[in-house]
Amino acid sequence: MKLRSKIFKAVDDIPKAYWDSLNCCDNLYYSPDFLRAFEIANTDIDFNYIIVLKDEEPVAFANTQIVTIGIETITKNIKMSPKIRRTVNNMFCKNSLRVMFCGNIFLSGEYGTFLKEGEPKIETFKALAKATKKIYRCTRLHAIFIKDFENESLDITDHLKSFDYASMHVEPNMIIYLKPEWQSFDDYTKSLKSKYRVKANRADTKSGVLKDKFFSTKDIINYKDELQSLYQNTIDNADFNAQILNLNTYIHLKDTFKEKFIVKGYFLDGKLVGFLSAMQNRTHLDAHFIGIDYSQNKEYGIYPRILNDYVRLGIETQSEQINLGRTASEIKSTLGAQPKTLTCYCKHKRYLPNQILKPFIKNVQIKSFKQHQPFKTN
């Protein structure tokens, strides 16, 4: 089996016949329309797209982004002793790192590589790994980060270790598995134990003064600056973010995917104080970014209301599951979300620093949290 790879700098350079042959576009995250929205709006990111060909027929796809990250942004959110943190920071002279991510940097989940059905997965995946080498060999880079793989994929993806990558767990995706009998939010809350039902209802009561509105493309354009500012608030409060999304991306996504891409705004006395965004992808509803005015959050419960509304949206769209993404795992578990483990792979471009960093990477520990069990057991 002879495999070779082609690398494209723009999604529109990839022939339509390749997408048709791969048959991957029923998953919106692998569609050129979805990828194009991020590429057009985020011009400070260097995008690359890999197609693996077997006898000139495409059998795999991967997307990569090259971004610049401050080393201290990374180390401050990794569990390590202050001494080791200082050592790593000094090793990089506290400079910024140029990192190539394989996988969508703005999504939490296994959306970076696609292997065509019926092809030998290990050989095909190795061909993708070799193709990423082509990119980073001729690019000024420090590190490569390949994300986010579920446990079922590890038999394939652990072959990255033969390319000198180290694996590490990252915060899990928090998933709510919806039951068919939940036809309304009331049906859902009735399935909760008393204290969790009270908590969910209190969130709605506390936020009752807020006016909400589903945004059209025109609304996203009109409120673009406010949306970006509220999103920046959540970035500033987050443990780690590799890159800030330009919310012009949302204009393109809404224009392209219509009702499948959801942006909902929350207003207090006519002022936008929060928003949620989500994508319907086949039978899943995936939470995307949110934005919150934290000066109003405690009094009006904006964040708990957003979480409740994700549940409502999941039920209304008849989704089978809601991916609430990473971060704030404990509060998400009070709604019934279960953790789905994710594994990433990392390496330094240069051999010696990579050998020094591998033990640190292997010993990275994610934050622990209390996993609540809010549903009745009868």
Side-chain angles (χ1 to χ4, degrees):
M1 178 176 68
K2 187 175 181 180
L3 298 174
R4 71 181 186 93
S5 60
K6 291 182 75 172
I7 297 166
F8 298 88
K9 296 293 291 180
V11 73
D12 286 339
D13 293 341
I14 302 173
K16 182 179 181 299
Y18 283 7
W19 297 111
D20 294 341
S21 180
L22 284 168
N23 195 27
C24 61
C25 295
D26 64 320
N27 184 329
L28 297 182
Y29 300 140
Y30 293 118
S31 71
D33 287 339
F34 184 82
L35 297 168
R36 187 184 299 110
F38 289 83
E39 182 187 305
I40 291 170
N42 299 274
T43 54
D44 53 337
I45 298 176
D46 183 4
F47 290 86
N48 288 280
Y49 308 92
I50 302 167
I51 300 282
V52 174
L53 301 167
K54 181 177 80 172
D55 300 325
E56 301 309 307
E57 283 291 314
V59 292
F61 166 79
N63 68 89
T64 72
Q65 305 96 54
I66 298 172
V67 300
T68 302
I69 312 172
I71 181 63
E72 290 179 316
T73 301
I74 299 171
T75 57
K76 76 176 181 181
N77 295 299
I78 294 177
K79 197 172 181 180
M80 59 175 71
S81 73
K83 184 178 178 181
I84 292 174
R85 184 175 290 109
R86 282 195 303 272
T87 301
V88 175
N89 287 345
N90 290 333
M91 186 187 302
F92 292 96
C93 305
K94 299 187 179 180
N95 288 330
S96 296
L97 299 183
R98 288 268 291 167
V99 181
M100 183 175 79
F101 285 83
C102 183
N104 194 314
I105 199 171
F106 297 115
L107 296 179
S108 175
E110 198 171 308
Y111 307 121
T113 57
F114 177 86
L115 307 180
K116 188 175 179 178
E117 202 62 43
E119 298 297 330
K121 294 190 181 302
I122 291 172
E123 291 89 339
T124 310
F125 187 78
K126 282 184 175 180
L128 282 175
K130 288 175 183 174
T132 62
K133 236 177 173 180
K134 282 186 189 176
I135 298 173
Y136 70 69
R137 271 181 176 162
C138 58
T139 309
R140 188 179 63 82
L141 282 179
H142 293 97
I144 305 92
F145 197 85
I146 302 182
K147 64 187 287 284
D148 296 309
F149 296 103
E150 298 172 5
N151 286 345
E152 296 79 7
S153 299
L154 298 187
D155 285 348
I156 300 167
T157 60
D158 270 350
H159 284 82
L160 285 168
K161 292 174 182 176
S162 66
F163 291 85
D164 219 16
Y165 286 84
S167 66
M168 60 185 284
H169 287 312
V170 293
E171 283 189 278
N173 269 340
M174 298 300 292
I175 312 290
I176 297 178
Y177 299 95
L178 298 174
K179 295 182 180 179
E181 58 265 32
W182 295 343
Q183 296 298 303
S184 67
F185 189 73
D186 192 46
D187 291 338
Y188 157 78
T189 57
K190 284 176 182 175
S191 72
L192 296 171
K193 295 173 186 173
S194 176
K195 74 172 184 176
Y196 296 102
R197 184 168 60 253
V198 168
K199 181 180 171 69
N201 290 335
R202 189 188 301 124
D204 280 349
T205 302
K206 199 172 185 181
S207 63
V209 68
L210 301 178
K211 304 295 182 188
D212 58 53
K213 178 184 179 180
F214 287 104
F215 278 16
S216 65
T217 303
K218 186 178 178 182
D219 292 323
I220 297 172
I221 293 169
N222 289 341
Y223 287 99
K224 162 66 173 46
D225 290 343
E226 290 95 325
L227 291 168
Q228 193 76 52
S229 177
L230 291 169
Y231 163 62
Q232 184 67 49
N233 289 345
T234 63
I235 293 296
D236 293 342
N237 274 271
D239 286 339
F240 173 72
N241 268 283
Q243 189 72 13
I244 296 170
L245 180 70
N246 185 320
L247 290 192
N248 281 326
T249 309
Y250 281 8
I251 298 168
H252 299 294
L253 289 175
K254 187 65 180 175
D255 206 35
T256 302
F257 293 103
K258 311 300 183 193
E259 72 282 352
K260 286 186 180 294
F261 182 65
I262 300 161
V263 178
K264 187 176 188 180
Y266 299 87
F267 294 84
L268 179 65
D269 298 329
K271 181 189 175 188
L272 186 68
V273 293
F275 77 89
L276 67 75
S277 60
M279 179 68 86
Q280 284 179 261
N281 186 25
R282 298 187 289 196
T283 60
H284 297 178
L285 180 80
D286 297 323
H288 283 220
F289 291 111
I290 65 169
I292 296 171
D293 180 345
Y294 284 98
S295 68
Q296 306 290 353
N297 185 49
K298 190 172 181 180
E299 184 173 356
Y300 298 104
I302 302 167
Y303 183 56
R305 168 66 176 278
I306 285 172
L307 292 178
N308 279 1
D309 281 357
Y310 274 128
V311 177
R312 288 188 174 90
L313 285 170
I315 293 169
E316 288 164 9
T317 56
Q318 299 183 314
S319 300
E320 293 178 3
Q321 67 179 56
I322 307 166
N323 179 0
L324 292 176
R326 292 197 277 253
T327 72
S329 299
E330 182 171 344
I331 189 172
K332 290 171 182 175
S333 78
T334 66
L335 292 152
Q338 298 289 323
K340 176 167 270 192
T341 303
L342 294 173
T343 298
C344 296
Y345 299 84
C346 185
K347 70 179 286 187
H348 194 283
K349 181 179 176 179
R350 288 164 50 212
Y351 175 78
L352 189 57
N354 194 47
Q355 301 313 304
I356 296 170
L357 287 173
K358 276 169 73 175
F360 296 128
I361 296 167
K362 288 176 182 176
N363 290 311
V364 166
Q365 295 180 5
I366 60 172
K367 290 181 179 178
S368 59
F369 65 93
K370 181 181 178 182
Q371 175 65 40
H372 293 259
Q373 304 296 338
F375 294 117
K376 297 173 184 174
T377 52
N378 58 345

